[in-house]
Amino acid sequence: MIYNGECLTDSLMSGMPASSYKNIRLLTLNLFLRPPLVKNNQSDHKDARVKYFCQNIIDNYDVICLQEVFSTMNSRRSQIISSAISKGFLYSTHAPAPGFFRPQVIDGGLLILSRFPIVETDFLGFGNGLFPDLMSYKGILHAKLQIGSKNLHIFTLHSQATYPSNSQETLNLYKEARKEQLKTSVAFIKSKTQSNNDSFFIAGDFNIDAFSDEYSSILEAFQELEVIDIIKSVHGKSFSTYGIRLPSGEPEETVLSHRNENTRDVAIDYIFLSKRGDSAVFPECTNVEPFYISNHPFTRISDHYGVQTTISIT
């Protein structure tokens, strides 16, 4: 909630009932929970980070969009959902398994947790991933939330990653894949929102750097949706969310991050808000969140920063 210009962390469980709650704390975070045996360094500390996330972070929000919560050969997604339920997140939806006849072997890793009723949900797979994304059923996940008499649509996605390559042709293929995925996403979002005037968010790991020329591909694709990049809108600039580089040039995080990625210093995680409807963000609560952790073998909850905001629904 917002009160006297401050971001409060009162949970719905200890305050107003969900039916009357109008200020909503939203987080998007790539939680970096890849399948078992996959790791960058000595350990990804997946189980310990899940435990910390459930015990210390979930309670601070009302709607959480997560990426890279892969359920293949592990129960971490189920653990997060169970813990969330105990904290008042009675509703959730996630990306489905790819299915027997699809080329992918793992799910898309998307998960939405909500304190508010999810009255409609859907998923659309991209189907054009390039190695090693070809193995994951990446796509865009939709949840329609009922907040009192209002509806709020949440979309979360995780698009094609860029993998280190000396070939400009390969790098261009990654960009083209993301461009097609944005086009697919826009059609999907329109199918869920064009017949109403409900507010909606698009949140996730776009793998498109806000400091690069490719950022224009997001603006071009989303132009007809009439949305704003809330970080840039509030702060007048973007902030790095992955591969953070210190002023000395050294990587900020080395436990989870790959040595080829830990100084990329890119802004690839976003929340976009539709300009229609009756919703508005609170600038003082809109920022990137590093989730620094002390006294643990890992220094952050993920190799990504989260992006968070508080919105009003009136």
Side-chain angles (χ1 to χ4, degrees):
M1 290 181 62
I2 301 294
Y3 184 72
N4 289 338
E6 296 181 355
C7 295
L8 304 183
T9 56
D10 294 340
S11 168
L12 285 174
M13 301 300 291
S14 61
M16 295 181 292
S19 61
S20 62
Y21 201 71
K22 300 300 184 182
N23 294 335
I24 303 159
R25 302 158 298 173
L26 174 69
L27 168 71
T28 184
L29 173 66
N30 181 324
L31 198 48
F32 193 53
L33 298 176
R34 298 176 297 177
L37 305 181
V38 181
K39 60 182 182 179
N40 285 337
N41 303 305
Q42 184 176 358
S43 174
D44 281 355
H45 303 283
K46 299 181 183 77
D47 292 332
R49 289 190 293 112
V50 166
K51 182 178 180 180
Y52 188 96
F53 177 78
C54 292
Q55 291 181 345
N56 299 282
I57 295 176
I58 287 181
D59 255 342
N60 295 323
Y61 301 94
D62 304 308
V63 178
I64 301 175
C65 299
L66 298 175
Q67 303 86 46
E68 288 200 12
V69 181
F70 296 108
S71 65
T72 304
M73 298 185 294
N74 72 90
S75 62
R76 297 184 188 102
R77 185 178 71 191
S78 296
Q79 292 174 36
I80 292 173
I81 293 173
S82 295
S83 179
I85 290 173
S86 71
K87 296 176 180 295
F89 289 80
L90 304 183
Y91 310 93
S92 66
T93 184
H94 56 76
F100 185 76
F101 294 104
R102 299 199 63 88
Q104 297 88 359
V105 295
I106 60 176
D107 62 271
L110 301 176
L111 173 62
I112 297 175
L113 306 170
S114 174
R115 297 187 188 273
F116 305 96
I118 296 178
V119 297
E120 181 183 316
T121 183
D122 199 2
F123 173 81
L124 180 64
F126 292 143
N128 68 331
L130 302 173
F131 182 82
D133 278 21
L134 177 63
M135 308 295 287
S136 173
Y137 192 28
K138 282 189 170 183
I140 180 169
L141 179 65
H142 168 240
K144 179 180 178 181
L145 310 185
Q146 182 179 343
I147 304 173
S149 61
K150 303 285 186 177
N151 294 321
L152 176 67
H153 298 262
I154 304 292
F155 298 90
T156 188
L157 61 84
H158 188 191
S159 59
Q160 172 71 48
T162 294
Y163 297 97
S165 174
N166 293 323
S167 167
Q168 188 59 49
E169 181 179 358
T170 299
L171 296 176
N172 288 339
L173 287 175
Y174 293 146
K175 292 181 180 180
E176 287 301 315
R178 286 191 288 269
K179 187 174 182 179
E180 183 62 29
Q181 290 168 358
L182 286 173
K183 182 179 178 181
T184 298
S185 297
V186 168
F188 181 70
I189 293 166
K190 288 176 64 177
S191 73
K192 304 299 180 182
T193 61
Q194 62 185 358
S195 63
N196 55 66
N197 196 44
D198 300 335
S199 298
F200 63 88
F201 278 87
I202 313 165
D205 177 357
F206 284 63
N207 277 309
I208 295 175
D209 183 15
F211 305 127
S212 73
D213 292 340
E214 193 183 358
Y215 179 71
S216 63
S217 67
I218 302 180
L219 302 182
E220 181 180 346
F222 284 179
Q223 183 176 7
E224 59 185 301
L225 297 177
E226 296 187 341
V227 296
I228 58 171
D229 176 345
I230 66 164
I231 292 295
K232 183 166 285 189
S233 176
V234 168
H235 297 281
K237 61 181 180 178
S238 300
F239 298 99
S240 296
T241 60
Y242 179 77
I244 313 302
R245 185 170 57 245
L246 298 172
S248 64
E250 295 299 310
E252 179 208 51
E253 199 283 322
T254 59
V255 177
L256 305 176
S257 304
H258 194 281
R259 62 182 179 276
N260 293 332
E261 297 278 300
N262 60 16
T263 56
R264 283 183 60 193
D265 221 10
V266 291
I268 58 177
D269 301 271
Y270 301 90
I271 299 176
F272 289 88
L273 169 65
S274 63
K275 292 188 281 188
R276 65 183 191 173
D278 301 316
S279 62
V281 300
F282 289 95
E284 57 268 58
C285 301
T286 301
N287 49 57
V288 297
E289 173 53 60
F291 292 115
Y292 292 126
I293 297 169
S294 58
N295 302 317
H296 283 74
F298 45 93
T299 58
R300 294 213 316 258
I301 195 63
S302 172
D303 62 339
H304 285 245
Y305 284 7
V307 181
Q308 62 185 14
T309 190
T310 297
I311 66 170
S312 67
I313 300 291
T314 58

